[in-house]
Each structure stands twice: as C-alpha cells, then as structure tokens.
Amino acid sequence: MNVTTLPKPPRVGLVSLGCPKNLVDSERIMTKLRADGYDMSPDYAGADVVLVNTCGFLDSAKEESLEAIGEAIAENGRVVVTGCMGKEADVIRERFPDVLAITGAHEYEQVVGAVHEAAPMPANAFLNLVPESGLKLTPRHYSYLKISEGCNHRCAFCIIPHLRGDLVSRRPDAVLREAEKLVAAGTKELLVISQDTSAYGVDIRHQPRPWKGEEVRAHMTDLSRELGKLGAWVRLHYVYPYPHVNDVIPLMAEGLVLPYLDIPFQHASPEVLRRMRRPANDAKVLQRIRSWREQVPDLSIRSSFVVGFPGETEQDFAYLLNWLEEAQLDRVGAFKFEPVEGAPATSMNDQVPADLKQERYEAVMALSARISAEKLAAKVGTDVDVLIDRVDDDGGATGRSKADAPEIDGEVHLRDAGGLNPGDIVSVRVEEADEHDLYAVPLGIQAA
Ligand code: SF4
C-alpha cells in the first residue's frame, strides 16, 4: 500500500493587544491564515512565525506593544508586527531591527502576505483546495491584476469614490507575487486594472518593497517594468495621461509592456472636461500622443467618451469630433450621459435632451468606426502576433493581437488554424479587415 505523508503546515503564534476592534482584526487575519492552511501555535516555541497585533492608542499602550514585540523576538525570533503601531515603523525598527515585517491596522492582505513570506506553505496538491494562482473567472491564459482600489478624484458623473473610498494601493511585492503565480499557472496576458492606474502608489508615497533582491517602488513605471520581466503580455488599463505616463512608453519600445494604452479621456473640450472635473486634463495631450507614437509606432490607444454631458454645447461637441479626427485613436467606446443618483452632474443645469444625445452618440460612433476601419485596413498584408482565445471545430480559431484587449476591443479570426489551442501565441499574416476585426492566416506556432 502506498502511503502519502502530508507535509506539516507552518504554525503561527499570535499576540493580540489593545481594544476589541484590534481583536476582531486578529480574528480576521487568523481566519484567513487558517483558510490558507496554516496551523495556530499556543506558545512561542511551537511557532514558525509570531504575529504581534499592536495597540498605539496611548503612550502606555505603545510601551506595552514594544515590550510584547521584544518578548516575541527573544522567545522566538521570527516576528511580524501589525496593528496601530504599524504607523510608527521607524520606532519599532530602531528598537528591534530583526522584525521581519511591519504592517498597519486593517492591512489584511499585507500582513497575510508577510506571514506567507516568513513561513511559506509547502506546495501540496492534497492540502490545497484552491490552486496557488487563486480561483479565476477568466480563461486560464489571461488574468486581470488589480493593483489598487478606490479613487482620489471626484469626477462629476461618478459615484465610485463614494462607493469604494479613496485610493488604496496594494504593495508592489504582493502584486508581483500574484502575477508570478498567475504566469506559473498558465497566464499569457496580465491585464492591469484599477480606477486610476497612473495614480498607483500615491497613497503609500510610492514606498519601495523588496522583490527578488531589489527594491521596487509602488509606482506605475517600476511595477510595469517588473511585470514585464515575468514573460507574459502586460496590458495597461485606466491610465490617466499624467506626465509620468511618458516613462512607460520606453518600456513598450523595449517590449516589456504591450504597445497599448487604455486612457479614459471621456471628452476633449476643455470646458466640458472642467465641468466634469476630470483629472490629468492636459491641453497638450494631442502633442503627447504624437510623441508616444513617434517612439512606439505600433502603439494602440483605446478610450471612452461621454456625449451629452450637461452643458455640452454644439461647439464643445464639434471640438470633440475634430479632436477625435486629429487623435486617430485605435478603439473608441462612446456613452450617452446618464444621470446617476448621488453624482453632482445629475443636478447640473443645462441637461442635454435625449434625442440630441442620441444624435451625438451616433456621430461619434460613425467617426470612430471609420477611423478604426482605416487603421485596420492598413494592417492588411502585415504580420502580427495573436494570442488564441478559442478554436472551433472547422479548423478556425479566434484570438487577439497586441492591440486588442479581451471583451472590449476587436478580434483576429484565423483560417487554417488546426492544431492551435487557447493560450498559444502565433504569428499571422493579415488578409482582410473590417471596422473592428482582422482576418488572418497563421504563419507558425510559437511555443505555448
Ligand atoms: S471617473 Fe473619476 S472619480 Fe470615478 S473612478 Fe474614474 S477617475 Fe475616479
């Protein structure tokens, strides 16, 4: 009889100080660690790592927290600190330089990540009910990677900041660890998402974290570069055109990040943008788009626009159409302004009548369809790489080029694609094009 010996999971000791709110935080952290497979240790000696959840309410509570950290270091030596004293990391580090990690109150993901780092779970198919890469709702070959939650802006048509709060960025090492697991599990394309990708790390002052022997800042450019080294396609969504976006363009030229930017411009008229209270409302954006395209000629830009925003005049709308003609964006989505309960724009004067909104919507869609058709026609006869999404029973397959994000952009339909599988990346020759899609034939299959 074959007997499989299961590895023992690591054990976590806990010292929880302070008020009942802190106790609830400790319970949440331990619940998550237990769900991840960790065992609890009732004493210092049996623990692989000790978690000290501190209180910093009064000076006496701080002193008690520091004493508890000191005791855990002396008794066990492998200590992760969390809780209110996390705000005073310098004080803790000065007194206890050997502490493995310090996180603040409510930073559940960070503290759980620090425990995983300090005492990694042995990989074991018998113990793990959930794959290392987590459970996914997307196909195996592409994954969304959320880098932050919430938003610091207050656009007049949007209630997301009310629903989700201000920007909270994830630690760059936590994002990279997740991305690495996804790639190891078969992801070929990482889709970076947030409410405002360009603002990533602002809330944590772009604090660097160790990653593979180096420091990586919580900054869009650094994160993109490191993601690019994982060997998957990296696609950036919800990028506001702040000046530092210019620094990501060379990463595209180097092939680390896909030559693709999803920038939600929403409008072009300076007056409408002002009324919308849009961030990164830069009058020189056309100039910058030209400069990006000079550096990365195959750059694809997707954007969305709102027509019929309150107060949008004929001149504003004409400005938008001219701007779109100039900008030659590759993919455009348009929406008619819809009042949302709780959004300031809902109660603004000069609401645009429904039939005018419809007229403007159709004009934007017609213009962008024409531009898209012209741009795609220019690709006929060229070779592009395609990531296969699905295959059919008749020897055909459908995938996406570097210019196409799943669900929102066009597709590439392949003939004579027998033998291909979802997740393969294949070079194809483009034979035809329409307003949104390309039609092509494979040249050869790259290793999946
Ligand atoms: S629309 Fe504006 S407020 Fe809403 S999530 Fe985007 S940037 Fe933030």
Side-chain angles (χ1 to χ4, degrees), residues 151-155 157-161 195-196 240 266 277-279:
C151 179
N152 285 346
H153 304 297
R154 297 293 181 262
C155 298
F157 53 78
C158 178
I159 55 166
I160 284 177
Q195 303 298 339
D196 178 359
Y240 285 89
Q266 308 301 20
R277 300 186 209 149
R278 292 294 289 164

Side-chain angles (χ1 to χ4, degrees), residues 293-320:
R293 285 190 172 136
E294 276 163 23
Q295 296 168 68
V296 181
D298 59 344
L299 175 66
S300 288
I301 302 177
R302 113 153 326 261
S303 189
S304 52
F305 293 85
V306 174
V307 295
F309 187 79
E312 182 190 60
T313 61
E314 286 300 332
Q315 289 79 355
D316 291 323
F317 186 65
Y319 190 104
L320 172 61

Side-chain angles (χ1 to χ4, degrees), residues 16 27 146 159 182 205 247 296 313-314 320 336 361 365 385 407:
S16 187
E27 286 172 350
K146 196 178 208 178
I159 55 166
L182 289 166
R205 298 190 297 283
D247 301 337
V296 181
T313 61
E314 286 300 332
L320 172 61
K336 289 171 270 183
Y361 168 78
M365 291 314 280
D385 288 344
E407 311 292 338

Side-chain angles (χ1 to χ4, degrees), residues 317-358:
F317 186 65
Y319 190 104
L320 172 61
L321 291 182
N322 284 335
W323 190 95
L324 285 170
E325 194 73 72
E326 270 293 296
Q328 291 284 302
L329 303 184
D330 299 80
R331 308 284 186 185
V332 166
F335 302 90
K336 289 171 270 183
F337 169 75
E338 274 180 36
V340 176
E341 200 183 327
T346 302
S347 51
M348 281 181 176
N349 295 332
D350 304 325
Q351 297 283 330
V352 176
D355 53 347
L356 192 50
K357 274 189 214 170
Q358 179 66 22

Side-chain angles (χ1 to χ4, degrees), residues 68-109:
I69 296 167
E71 185 179 301
I73 293 264
E75 296 288 331
N76 181 283
R78 298 184 58 71
V79 175
V80 169
V81 176
T82 187
C84 301
M85 279 284 292
K87 277 202 214 118
E88 299 187 44
D90 297 349
V91 177
I92 299 172
R93 283 244 173 266
E94 198 179 311
R95 202 142 137 195
F96 307 108
D98 293 339
V99 161
L100 297 174
I102 303 170
T103 70
H106 315 305
E107 293 180 356
Y108 302 116
E109 185 184 41

